[in-house]
Amino acid sequence: MGEWYFVEFSKKRAELVARLKVRGVSEKVLRAMTNVPRHLFVPSVHMSSAYVDTPLNIGHGQTISAPHMVAIMCDLLDLQEGHKVLEVGAGSGYNAAVMAELIGNTGIVYSTERIPELVGSSKNNIKAAGYRNIEVFLSDGSIGLPEHAPYDRICVTASAPSIPQPLVQQLKTGGRMVIPVGDMFQSLYLVTRDSDGTVVTKEWGGVVFVPLIGKHGFHFEQKPYRHH
Ligand code: SAM
């Protein structure tokens, strides 16, 4: 792609970030989203829509979440330099890249994905965008990723039937997790493990995500309402 495209994409990205600012997104998340080239994380057929605030199809019945949803989750997580983060649902790799910006080179994002083709494409996207602090695994993220636990932060990007206990157990003391829960009606939850070990769950509000499929997620035979 030539210089003209680069300039146009940068302009569109700045316009998107300005719209997210009006919605109250924090300065640090806005900065991270300014740095991540979302057009490198969508299939070429959707490149011209990369900076529209909407989810887009990434194949295999899955989506890259809308930018405002990524921003809301990152703000709820309050990501800091050096954090060790678990993502459940790598998809395109975009959300992982935004989190990788926020935690810097001293931090790391471990991202799980259950669809082999999306593991391949997310790894390619992440490489093309130049991120080295993200590792993608082909695995059922509903059981977490015990080999790298515990985590400062956990970001679940697919909707679970209920909060999977292995994920809560893999949170550090003082850790935070965001997770959508529900089938036909979904809500986003912020789960915190306080310094005394108490787990507190707060409902943020209604959202729409693809289903979490796995041992502690939905099962294929359950046919979740929004199985797309
Ligand atoms: N974070 C993604 C991005 O930035 O593009 C958005 C992902 S999409 C909304 C949700 C993803 O979760 C899908 O790619 C889906 O295959 C994946 N998923 C569903 N169940 C999963 C599981 N048990 N473990 C890992 N990934 C899962």
Side-chain angles (χ1 to χ4, degrees), residues 41 56 58-65 70 73 87-97 99 111-115 118 122 137-143 155-159 208-218:
F41 292 85
L56 294 167
I58 55 170
H60 311 279
Q62 306 303 322
T63 52
I64 173 174
S65 301
V70 171
M73 290 195 296
E87 182 185 43
V88 178
S92 66
Y94 175 74
N95 184 54
M99 295 196 295
S111 188
T112 57
E113 173 55 57
R114 61 175 283 274
I115 299 176
L118 292 179
S122 62
F137 296 79
L138 174 64
S139 68
D140 174 7
S142 76
I143 61 164
C155 185
V156 184
T157 68
S159 190
V208 179
F209 279 84
V210 295
L212 181 77
I213 309 273
K215 186 167 179 210
H216 294 273
F218 290 99

